[in-house]
Amino acid sequence: DTYVRLVAAKVQAEPGEFVEITAVRENPKGDEGALRYEWGGNHAGDGDTVTFFASESGMYSVTVIVNGARGVVGSTSVDIEVR
């Protein structure tokens, strides 16, 4: 089955850093049509790649739900620690 994973440039960041996060489809099945990405958490941007801004120390989660022509393709999250 198709699933989605998030690839973060790093999972530990310093305050003030930007971290690029990309949603990657694995094992795609057939034509899923145009994909729509619904991101949650502290991020900027849209599409399959967004940027997380490490504003202050703590644990943060960035989530994504990927939708295709026939509904949800997959969803996942990644945690980033700001030290």
Side-chain angles (χ1 to χ4, degrees), residues 5-21:
R5 66 184 176 92
L6 291 180
V7 177
K10 56 171 68 179
V11 293
Q12 293 181 332
E14 300 293 327
E17 285 188 298
F18 292 92
V19 179
E20 186 175 273
I21 303 169

Side-chain angles (χ1 to χ4, degrees), residues 19-83:
V19 179
E20 186 175 273
I21 303 169
T22 302
V24 178
R25 268 184 322 147
E26 298 288 348
N27 200 28
K29 299 287 185 193
D31 182 16
E32 294 160 342
L35 299 177
R36 294 180 319 283
Y37 299 83
E38 298 175 24
W39 292 91
N42 183 13
H43 73 280
D46 55 19
D48 66 346
T49 301
V50 298
T51 302
F52 168 82
F53 176 64
S55 57
E56 54 187 61
S57 297
M59 288 296 294
Y60 297 88
S61 183
V62 176
T63 62
V64 68
I65 301 171
V66 181
N67 294 288
R70 293 183 291 263
V72 174
V73 173
S75 64
T76 191
S77 65
V78 64
D79 292 327
I80 298 175
E81 178 184 12
V82 180
R83 305 191 268 172

